Amino acid sequence: MHAADPAVRELLQHGRLDVQGRLVEASNATLFCGIEVNGASAECVYKPVRGERPLWDFPDGTLAGREVGSYLLSEATGWALIPPTLLRDGPFGPGMVQLWVDVEEDSQLVDIVAPDEVPDGWLSVLRAQDHHGDPVVLAHADHQQLQRLAVLDIVINNADRKGGHILHAPDGRVLGVDHGVSLNTDDKLRTVLWGWVGRRLSDEAIDRLGELRALMEGDLAVALAEHITPKEIQAINTRIERLLETAAFPAPSGDWPAIPWPAF
């Protein structure tokens, strides 16, 4: 089932969850499920709230709620950069349910390569050494949808944009997943997508941010208030205003590690 199918939300909200396995590399309980209702079926990820590990710097609300809040903001931009995501009850209690998206084989948009193997047109982010002491480069594609995702990450203050959290679907869409440590009031942006630092935002991004600012004055803020605090909502407004004022991609603040570890 395609993420844009209007029946997806109905399926995610009311379908019967059948737990098929656990994604063991995840730091919080993350269950892979089949979901079915009225003959429609798909696969999804279910993250029960009771499986979340407490985080001292995210004391309010739930990580599941932050995932849903990030999805609401993605939808408000019109870019649809996060798979359909909602809160509902499941086999282990309330949790986040998100449509599973298959990825395009051998179609990475972020990679760690030798300096002479950076693909043409890619943007270098970091030079380092691998465990053998050989030089490597963290780089990513100069891709429009990836750039949109970088803008969204700034808005949601994503503290964990790993390369493995970026999906390149077979139909060409670029999607982000794992947004539980987003929407904090403090500047915690930590991402592999630093290749556009200092560059001017696209006219499209500026227009969308202006529309998002207007939506934050109405129903969008009301919807977000179900998941995050008033201070965190105000911080979103502040980040949007800052982006509109500078009209450029920011540099790392220096107060927080700029790149997640591991990067994938």
Side-chain angles (χ1 to χ4, degrees):
M1 181 174 284
H2 194 281
D5 189 329
V8 167
R9 285 194 62 84
E10 174 73 14
L11 175 61
L12 291 178
Q13 187 70 65
H14 301 291
R16 180 178 62 85
L17 289 169
D18 176 24
V19 177
Q20 299 179 1
R22 179 172 181 174
L23 305 183
V24 295
E25 69 275 11
S27 56
N28 296 284
T30 303
L31 306 176
F32 178 73
C33 301
I35 189 167
E36 186 273 334
V37 67
N38 297 329
S41 62
E43 295 167 330
C44 67
V45 170
Y46 163 51
K47 297 182 180 180
V49 171
R50 66 193 291 185
E52 295 178 2
R53 297 169 59 185
L55 298 174
W56 67 268
D57 51 346
F58 286 83
D60 300 305
T62 65
L63 304 188
R66 294 177 186 279
E67 296 241 29
V68 175
S70 299
Y71 168 72
L72 292 174
L73 286 161
S74 167
E75 289 298 286
T77 65
W79 286 332
L81 293 167
I82 298 177
T85 308
L86 51 79
L87 283 177
R88 57 160 287 181
D89 201 17
F92 299 101
M96 183 220 77
V97 174
Q98 183 176 81
L99 184 70
W100 178 269
V101 176
D102 291 321
V103 298
E104 180 73 15
E105 293 292 335
D106 301 321
S107 184
Q108 286 182 289
L109 296 172
V110 181
D111 206 355
I112 296 175
V113 296
D116 59 352
E117 294 178 356
V118 177
D120 291 342
W122 279 39
L123 305 174
S124 296
V125 173
L126 175 72
R127 292 183 177 271
Q129 292 181 337
D130 64 15
H131 61 286
H132 296 299
D134 296 323
V136 293
V137 175
L138 171 64
H140 62 72
D142 189 4
H143 187 289
Q144 182 191 49
Q145 291 188 59
L146 199 62
Q147 189 178 98
R148 290 171 175 170
L149 187 61
V151 173
L152 178 66
D153 280 342
I154 298 166
V155 171
I156 67 174
N157 196 17
N158 190 350
D160 195 30
R161 174 61 73 207
K162 292 182 170 69
H165 296 170
I166 299 168
L167 310 182
H168 198 188
D171 62 4
R173 290 173 302 136
V174 174
L175 298 166
V177 296
D178 286 323
H179 301 100
V181 287
S182 298
L183 302 170
N184 203 295
T185 55
D186 298 330
D187 183 5
K188 291 183 177 290
L189 182 61
R190 187 167 56 182
T191 175
V192 295
L193 301 178
W194 288 112
W196 296 284
V197 167
R199 291 197 187 185
R200 177 176 168 79
L201 297 174
S202 69
D203 290 341
E204 178 207 30
I206 292 171
D207 289 344
R208 295 297 176 93
L209 288 167
E211 294 166 2
L212 186 60
R213 176 174 58 184
L215 290 171
M216 286 293 294
E217 296 176 358
D219 291 344
L220 179 56
V222 174
L224 288 168
E226 297 182 17
H227 308 292
I228 58 177
T229 68
K231 287 185 178 180
E232 288 167 335
I233 292 173
Q234 182 54 49
I236 296 170
N237 290 322
T238 300
R239 291 191 292 270
I240 294 171
E241 289 290 347
R242 189 186 306 140
L243 278 171
L244 287 171
E245 287 171 4
T246 63
F249 285 91
S253 68
D255 298 327
W256 177 256
I259 296 173
W261 185 260
F264 284 82

